[in-house]
Amino acid sequence: MKYTTIRYGVAAALVFAIGCSSSRQSNFAGKDKLPIDRKVDSVLKLMTLEEKVGQMNQYNGFWDVTGPVPKDGQAAKKYENLKKGLVGSMLNVRGVKDVRALQKIAVEETRLGIPLIFGFDVVHGYKTVSPIPLAEAASWDLEAMKKSAEIAAAEAAVSGLNWTFAPMVDISRDARWGRVMEGAGEDPYLGSQIAIARVKGFQGDKLDEFHIAACTKHFAGYGFAESGRDYNTVDISDNTLHNIILPPFKATVDAGVLTFMNSFNELEGIPATGNAYLQRNLLKGEWKFDGFVVSDWGSMGEMIAHGYAKDMKDAAMKAANAGSDMDMESYGYLNHLVTLVKEGKVSEDKINDAVRRILKVKFELGLFENPYKYCDENREKQNIGKKEFQDGVLDMAKKSIVLLKNENKLLPLKKSGQKIAVIGALANDKTSPLGSWRIGADDNTAISFLEGMAAYKGNQITYEKGADVALGEPRFMVETKINTTDKSSFDKAIAAAKQADVVIMVLGEHGLQTGEGRSRSDITLPGVQQELLEAVYKANPNIVLVLQNGRPLAIPWAAKNIPAIVEAWHLGTQSGHAIAQVLYGDYNPSGKLPMTFPRNVGQVPIYYNYKNTGRPSTDNPESVFWSHYTDIENTPLYPFGHGLSYSTFEYSNLKLDTKSLQKNGKIKVTVDVKNTSSVDGKEVVQLYIRDLVASVTRPVRELKGFELAEIKAGQTKTVSFTIDEKTIEFYSANKIWEAEAGDFQLFVGGSSTATLQADFNYSN
Ligand code: NOJ
C-alpha cells in the first residue's frame, strides 16, 4: 500500500481489507461496478445515523484553514462538526494547502476517516479562464469544448479540487436571464451534444489526478424563469419540459456524469429541491442515475420562502424524501435529519440510499484509496497557468467568435499603413473578458483587446475610452453600477475617429453584468454606449463594432448602420489575442449563434424552434388578425445558427437516398457545400427537420444534426447525415418518447433560416 504513513480510519482500513486496486478504472468507464458497491456497503455498515447524515452535509469554506483554529461563531461550529465526522463535502476551499489541511482533519481526526469531496464552480476555466460557455457553444466544435473542459478540470484538479459544479445545461430562450452566459443557448439538440462533450472533458475516460467529477445543473427548468428574472417562478408545460428542457440532462446521465445539482425554482408548484417527480421518479428511476444530487446553495431553506415548507425541519424532510442527497449550506439535514428519522418521517432506507450514492462517488474518485490524490504542491506549481493551457483557451476563444456582419469586406483589417482608432472602455479592460464565473482567477489577468492589437505592429493605433461601462470596480458579490450619465470623454473619442481610416469600437457588457443574479430588463448596449456609437458614427462611419457581452443583445441600430460587427463575448484569459487574430484575418471565424438575437426586448422569448400558431401569416397587408406585433417584425435580428466567415459558402445538391423512412431504417442525406471564396474556411453545416402533423404540435424547425466542415478555397465538400427513428422521436401525447408516422420536411444550410429543402415520410 502506497500511503502507509497516513493514519486511516476504520472504514478505510476495511475498504483496503476487501481490496482496492490503485489502477482501478472509474465506474464512469462502466467497469468494476460490483466491487464499488461492496466497498460502499462495507463503509455504510460502520456508520452511525449521525455520521450518515454528516455525509449529506456540505459546508462552504469557512476559516483561514491553515491559520489558527476558530474559537467561536459559525466557523468554530463548522470546525467542530468537521472533526465529529458530520461533514461530507466542502465547497469554495481550494489550493492544495487548504484542501490538504481540511482533508487531514476528515481523514485523521474523525472516527471513520471518510474523505471529503471538494467542490467549486469551475464553470469556464479555473485560473486560466476559457470563454464563457455561451461563447464556447458558438463554436459548435465539440472536440474543442471537450478539450476546454479538460483544461479546466486539470487546472482545478492540481489545485486540490475534485468536483466542479458544471456543466450548466439549462436551455434558455430569454436573453434577459443573466445566466444564459453559463449555458449552451436555446437548443436541446446542440445543448445535449455540448453537455456530453463537457462531461467527458471534465471526467475524462478515467478519473485520474487531472480529471474531476462533473455536476449537471440545474435540475430542472431554471432557465425558464418568468420574465428572465433570476430565481423567478417557472410555469411550463409538460411538453416543453420533456421536449426542450430535459434532453441535455438525460444526455449527461447517459454519458456517465457523477453528480447532479437541483435548482432554485419551482416547477408545477413544487420547488426542485423538494421535487420527488424530478429527482426520484425521473432522474434516479426512469433514467437510472446512480450518482448523487446536491441541492443548490441554500435551496432547501428557500422552500420556506416559496411557501412549500413551514420551517427548516419541514424543508429537510421534504428534500430528503424527494431525493436531494446533499444539502449545500442550509444546515437542514445536519440539524434535523436524525430527529426526522427517529420520528419515522424520513426512512433510514432513504438516508442509506443518499449516503451510498455519495460514498460511491468518493470511491469513483479514488479518494478512499488516496484522500490526498489531488493534493500535490509540485503538481500544482508546475501546472497552473501553463503554456499548454493558455494555448488551449486561446484556440477555444478564436473558435467562439461570431462574425455577425461584414459589409464591403471591411474585415479582415489591412496589416499595415492604417490609422486605427480604438474606442470603448472594454478595449482596455483586463478583467471584464474573464466573464462572470471566474472566481478562481485573479482580476486583471486577461489579455485586453488593446494588448491583443499591440501584437500587430504595422498600423498606427490610438485609443480613447469614450465612456466607461461601469462606475467603480465591479465586484463578484456586489451589484455593478453602470455609467448612465458621464459623457465627458465623448469629444476625445470623436476627435480620434475623425483622424482614423478605420474605427474599432469595443462595446458591450461588463463581465459582471451577466451571470447569477444579473438579469436585465433592457438588453441594449448598457449605459451611454449606444449614444457614443452614434456620435462616433457621425464622425467616421467606417466602424468595426466588437461586442463583448454575456447574452444576446438587442442592437438594431448597429445592425442597420455599422458595416462590420464581431460578436466576441467574454472570451477569457486570451481574449485580446483571439479577437485581434480574427480581425486581422490570421484566424478565419466560423462561429454560429447558439441563441437568437432579438430586435428588441419585447420579442423575448424569441427562439428558432417556435410553434407555428393557427395564424402564422396573412396575405392581406391591411389585416390585423394574425400572430404578429404592430410595431416590429416577427423575425429576429440575427437568427439561431447565423454566423459569417471570410469565406463564402454555397449549398447545392441536397439528396436523400430514400424518401421513405421505415421502422429500424435509415435515410442518408447528402449535400454539397462549396467554398466560393479565395480563403480556406470552416462552415457549420446544419440540418433541421419539421414534423408536419403529430399528436402534439411540433416546432417549425428542429436542429437534428450539424457538421463543422473544413473546406479549402474553391473546393466542394459533400457532407452527409443519417436520419433514423431517433431523429424524429419526441415526447408525444402518450407522454412517452416515440416516433410517429407521417410527413417531414428537412432543411440544410448555414443557419436556422436554411432554405434548401427535401421531404420524407416515416411509416412504422
Ligand atoms: C448557486 C448557483 O446557482 C450554483 O450554480 C452554484 O454552483 C452554487 N451557487 C455554488 O456556488
Side-chain angles (χ1 to χ4, degrees):
M1 201 196 302
K2 262 203 240 153
Y3 300 93
T4 42
T5 51
I6 300 162
R7 191 190 74 80
Y8 287 109
V10 184
L14 189 88
V15 166
F16 284 113
I18 63 171
C20 167
S21 123
S22 62
S23 61
R24 186 192 55 75
Q25 289 245 314
S26 76
N27 190 36
F28 174 62
K31 295 198 176 144
D32 211 10
K33 194 172 164 81
L34 199 63
I36 284 205
D37 289 349
R38 284 218 331 257
K39 289 174 205 166
V40 165
D41 280 339
S42 75
V43 178
L44 196 69
K45 263 190 237 149
L46 301 171
M47 297 173 79
T48 62
L49 179 58
E50 284 74 11
E51 283 163 340
K52 289 178 187 171
V53 169
Q55 285 302 304
M56 298 167 72
N57 177 38
Q58 184 188 51
Y59 273 153
N60 183 38
F62 35 100
W63 76 97
D64 176 5
V65 294
T66 50
V69 170
K71 291 272 177 300
D72 40 37
Q74 204 179 61
K77 201 168 170 194
K78 286 182 172 181
Y79 178 75
E80 281 312 310
N81 283 339
L82 177 58
K83 287 211 297 193
K84 285 187 206 149
L86 299 181
V87 184
S89 169
M90 299 290 314
L91 80 151
N92 294 336
V93 175
R94 62 197 163 96
V96 166
K97 199 167 147 220
D98 288 11
V99 169
R100 181 188 284 283
L102 290 193
Q103 192 70 299
K104 201 160 181 291
I105 299 174
V107 171
E108 297 191 18
E109 297 188 38
T110 67
R111 190 179 77 90
L112 293 176
I114 298 174
L116 297 165
I117 172 170
F118 289 86
F120 196 72
D121 289 282
V122 187
V123 174
H124 51 107
Y126 177 64
K127 279 256 182 254
T128 309
V129 178
S130 45
I132 56 169
L134 185 66
E136 288 195 359
S139 72
W140 297 54
D141 188 331
L142 300 174
E143 262 315 301
M145 283 180 264
K146 180 173 166 226
K147 176 90 190 115
S148 169
E150 208 152 17
I151 291 171
E155 231 188 19
V158 301
S159 309
L161 296 165
N162 41 40
W163 181 22
T164 174
F165 303 129
M168 184 191 101
V169 305
D170 297 308
I171 298 296
S172 182
R173 296 165 162 177
D174 198 326
R176 292 171 297 185
W177 191 47
R179 297 194 83 166
V180 297
M181 55 78 49
E182 260 180 87
E186 72 191 36
D187 182 61
Y189 178 82
L190 178 62
S192 299
Q193 303 302 312
I194 292 174
I196 295 168
R198 290 197 167 129
V199 167
K200 290 192 167 160
F202 288 131
Q203 296 190 170
D205 299 330
K206 195 164 93 130
L207 282 164
D208 58 19
E209 60 274 31
F210 293 101
H211 290 91
I212 59 181
C215 179
T216 302
K217 69 188 188 185
H218 304 86
F219 197 56
Y222 186 40
F224 275 64
E226 274 179 3
S227 40
R229 178 158 55 81
D230 205 3
Y231 318 122
N232 203 5
T233 303
V234 173
D235 196 358
I236 48 169
S237 67
D238 215 30
N239 185 312
T240 301
L241 177 69
H242 285 271
N243 282 310
I244 305 295
I245 292 174
L246 293 179
F249 288 97
K250 169 77 163 57
T252 64
V253 173
D254 296 341
V257 73
L258 290 172
T259 72
F260 255 56
M261 186 186 292
N262 57 37
S263 55
F264 291 124
N265 58 283
E266 64 162 74
L267 196 68
E268 289 274 345
I270 301 178
T273 309
N275 199 310
Y277 167 69
L278 283 176
Q279 297 174 119
R280 285 212 187 278
N281 301 16
L282 202 62
L283 178 62
K284 297 175 181 175
E286 219 176 284
W287 296 356
K288 301 189 169 41
F289 172 65
D290 60 1
F292 71 85
V293 181
V294 63
S295 77
D296 202 344
W297 181 289
S299 64
M300 188 183 299
E302 290 179 14
M303 292 203 289
I304 302 167
H306 274 292
Y308 188 68
K310 78 171 188 296
D311 52 25
M312 193 55 101
K313 185 175 173 192
D314 193 28
M317 180 186 77
K318 286 177 171 148
N321 283 331
S324 265
D325 300 311
M326 186 182 275
D327 169 11
M328 185 192 286
E329 272 288 318
S330 278
Y331 320 144
Y333 284 170
L334 193 67
N335 293 332
H336 303 290
L337 212 41
V338 171
T339 316
L340 285 164
V341 173
K342 289 186 177 152
E343 289 172 355
K345 293 189 174 135
V346 176
S347 70
E348 192 153 356
D349 279 356
K350 287 206 170 96
I351 306 291
N352 287 343
D353 176 61
V355 177
R356 264 198 195 95
R357 290 167 179 276
I358 294 165
L359 295 178
K360 185 176 105 30
V361 171
K362 292 184 178 185
F363 271 107
E364 306 262 354
L365 284 166
L367 294 175
F368 276 97
E369 192 183 14
N370 176 11
Y372 305 103
K373 171 178 160 187
Y374 293 92
C375 297
D376 180 325
E377 279 83 357
N378 282 336
R379 199 159 63 217
E380 186 177 33
K381 265 191 224 113
Q382 283 158 11
N383 285 282
I384 294 284
K386 71 179 178 187
K387 183 162 183 311
E388 186 192 322
F389 295 165
Q390 300 293 341
D391 292 348
V393 300
L394 173 59
D395 183 59
M396 188 71 250
K398 288 188 280 192
K399 289 175 170 160
S400 304
I401 291 172
V402 184
L403 181 61
L404 292 175
K405 183 177 175 189
N406 191 19
E407 255 173 28
N408 314 323
K409 296 207 171 154
L410 187 53
L411 290 173
L413 299 170
K414 295 192 184 78
K415 284 192 173 157
S416 60
Q418 298 277 292
K419 281 196 230 149
I420 299 181
V422 175
I423 296 170
L426 289 173
N428 197 23
D429 191 332
K430 289 174 66 60
T431 297
S432 208
L434 298 175
S436 194
W437 271 119
R438 37 82 176 198
I439 46 177
D442 303 318
D443 281 354
N444 277 308
T445 52
I447 304 291
S448 72
F449 176 73
L450 278 177
E451 288 171 329
M453 290 297 283
Y456 290 83
K457 307 285 180 215
N459 290 326
Q460 189 191 319
I461 308 248
T462 53
Y463 169 67
E464 288 297 337
K465 79 171 176 189
D468 285 310
V469 180
L471 294 175
E473 208 35 65
R475 279 175 298 139
F476 186 66
M477 302 289 278
V478 179
E479 202 82 49
T480 302
K481 291 201 174 48
I482 295 300
N483 167 28
T484 52
T485 48
D486 182 7
K487 300 182 208 163
S488 56
S489 304
F490 272 32
D491 287 348
K492 283 189 186 160
I494 292 165
K498 280 187 181 150
Q499 306 297 316
D501 300 309
V502 183
V503 181
I504 303 177
M505 298 202 63
V506 185
L507 305 178
E509 297 177 307
H510 187 276
L512 291 179
Q513 227 187 328
T514 61
E516 186 177 348
R518 293 172 167 101
S519 295
R520 295 178 61 205
S521 70
D522 172 359
I523 53 170
T524 58
L525 290 169
V528 294
Q529 294 181 95
Q530 178 66 31
E531 280 177 75
L532 176 66
L533 179 62
E534 291 183 30
V536 171
Y537 178 82
K538 277 192 200 132
N540 186 345
N542 212 27
I543 296 177
V544 176
L545 172 61
V546 174
L547 294 169
Q548 292 192 354
N549 47 296
R551 56 160 62 77
L553 294 175
I555 44 157
W557 186 89
K560 185 161 169 237
N561 296 290
I562 301 298
I565 307 179
V566 176
E567 177 51 81
W569 316 102
H570 295 131
L571 287 179
T573 307
Q574 292 290 329
S575 173
H577 287 319
I579 306 169
Q581 287 177 31
V582 165
L583 295 194
Y584 275 114
D586 284 343
Y587 188 87
N588 188 358
S590 58
K592 302 270 188 181
L593 294 177
M595 202 169 171
T596 305
F597 273 45
R599 293 175 189 275
N600 69 22
V601 75
Q603 288 184 311
V604 173
I606 181 167
Y607 45 97
Y608 86 93
N609 48 355
Y610 60 88
K611 304 282 189 72
N612 206 29
T613 83
R615 296 186 177 194
S617 61
T618 179
D619 293 335
N620 176 2
E622 311 270 286
S623 162
V624 290
F625 300 115
W626 65 288
S627 180
H628 73 302
Y629 299 103
T630 55
D631 57 357
I632 201 157
E633 290 129 279
N634 283 358
T635 55
L637 192 61
Y638 295 114
F640 174 86
H642 167 76
L644 306 174
S645 155
Y646 298 141
S647 312
T648 44
F649 299 99
E650 223 173 69
Y651 287 74
S652 64
N653 250 334
L654 176 61
K655 283 190 202 141
L656 275 54
D657 67 350
T658 164
K659 291 201 175 283
S660 160
L661 181 64
Q662 305 293 328
K663 200 166 173 52
N664 300 322
K666 284 184 180 12
I667 297 181
K668 187 172 175 202
V669 180
T670 51
V671 67
D672 290 345
V673 187
K674 181 170 186 192
N675 181 340
T676 50
S677 72
S678 55
V679 225
D680 298 348
K682 279 189 292 185
E683 166 78 336
V684 182
V685 181
Q686 302 159 45
L687 178 137
Y688 296 85
I689 63 157
R690 177 171 185 179
D691 186 345
L692 292 178
V693 180
S695 63
V696 292
T697 58
R698 307 294 299 129
V700 292
R701 271 179 197 205
E702 292 176 276
L703 181 73
K704 290 294 177 181
F706 61 90
E707 187 180 312
L708 188 52
E710 280 189 42
I711 311 175
K712 295 233 174 293
Q715 291 195 354
T716 300
K717 188 166 182 178
T718 303
V719 174
S720 55
F721 298 96
T722 303
I723 288 179
D724 59 19
E725 276 166 51
K726 277 263 161 261
T727 320
I728 57 169
E729 275 183 358
F730 65 100
Y731 191 74
S732 74
N734 292 326
K735 306 270 180 201
I736 52 167
W737 279 80
E738 61 181 332
E740 290 181 356
D743 295 327
F744 294 80
Q745 291 174 337
L746 178 151
F747 305 87
V748 177
S751 86
S752 58
T753 59
T755 48
L756 201 57
Q757 186 191 333
D759 301 334
F760 67 94
N761 64 61
Y762 170 67
S763 46
N764 53 9

